[in-house]
Amino acid sequence: MTPEFTVPINDLDAGGREFRFALSVEWMRQVFQGQVDPAGPDGVFEVRVSKSGQDVVVHGTLRAQLVAPCARCLEPASIAIDDEVSALLVPEGKLRGSEGEHDEYEFSSTEADILTYSGDTVVLDGLVRDELLLEVPMIPLCSESCPGIKAPPAQTGKGDGIDPRFAPLLKLKEKL
């Protein structure tokens, strides 16, 4: 997958620059791999990127409309994402453990929020993907009062009011 959201470092200074990226429907489909679908028009990623020494500071907003199956009734559940995004990116070799060490390394809590970049370009695709995935609810609901899957209507005849899926059991009961 080719990077969609790239920022050249040479264009940055301490004052920063504003960028506006479109979150295309095709890109979001690749991110969610069929578990969640984009709804409606492209999303948007508005971001201000600035440079502080060698570090790159990212602040912005991520907006998108998604649709996922409701966890109770399987009908489409609308998901509106409007998320504030902040990140600090440092050169790849600046973090301990990124110099090619093969031993296991445990990140400290302060290092967990820091991302890395390499070369003359900051690629924000991973950050955008992670933020989108984190904003999708684990149990999407079409509404808080969703009753769940409805039983099929009862058939007329013997066993009125009984779920037709239990009809074989009813016949077995009559034999006994």
Side-chain angles (χ1 to χ4, degrees):
M1 197 159 127
T2 59
E4 294 280 327
F5 316 115
T6 59
V7 176
I9 294 177
N10 298 337
D11 294 347
L12 300 177
D13 59 13
R17 266 187 69 200
E18 301 280 335
F19 294 91
R20 181 180 173 98
F21 299 104
L23 298 173
S24 70
V25 171
E26 295 81 27
W27 187 85
M28 287 191 285
R29 280 196 181 116
Q30 287 180 348
V31 166
F32 293 114
Q33 299 176 353
Q35 297 189 9
V36 176
D37 288 321
D42 292 347
V44 68
F45 178 46
E46 297 175 328
V47 65
R48 180 174 195 78
V49 184
S50 59
K51 195 171 176 185
S52 175
Q54 288 186 325
D55 299 346
V56 176
V57 180
V58 177
H59 291 288
T61 306
L62 184 62
R63 290 185 195 93
Q65 291 292 324
L66 306 172
V67 175
C70 175
R72 292 182 188 158
C73 69
L74 302 179
E75 293 296 320
S78 180
I79 302 167
I81 294 180
D82 189 358
D83 186 34
E84 294 292 319
V85 177
S86 295
L88 174 65
L89 290 93
V90 298
E92 200 166 49
K94 192 172 178 180
L95 279 182
R96 231 177 47 153
S98 60
E99 294 93 16
E101 295 177 12
H102 296 291
D103 296 335
E104 284 191 31
Y105 176 73
E106 188 171 327
F107 287 98
S108 69
S109 61
T110 57
E111 292 174 320
D113 293 335
I114 300 174
L115 304 173
T116 61
Y117 71 90
S118 63
D120 294 333
T121 304
V122 173
V123 179
L124 300 173
D125 289 39
L127 172 66
V128 173
R129 183 194 69 240
D130 291 348
E131 291 294 327
L132 279 173
L133 291 171
L134 287 170
E135 287 300 307
V136 174
M138 291 177 66
I139 302 173
L141 297 175
C142 59
S143 73
E144 288 295 323
S145 61
C146 177
I149 297 176
K150 296 174 180 79
Q155 295 177 345
T156 57
K158 228 179 206 182
D160 274 344
I162 294 178
D163 189 330
R165 294 173 288 184
F166 293 120
L169 290 175
L170 186 59
K171 287 180 185 175
L172 182 62
K173 180 182 174 190
E174 290 173 358
K175 285 182 183 178
L176 297 175

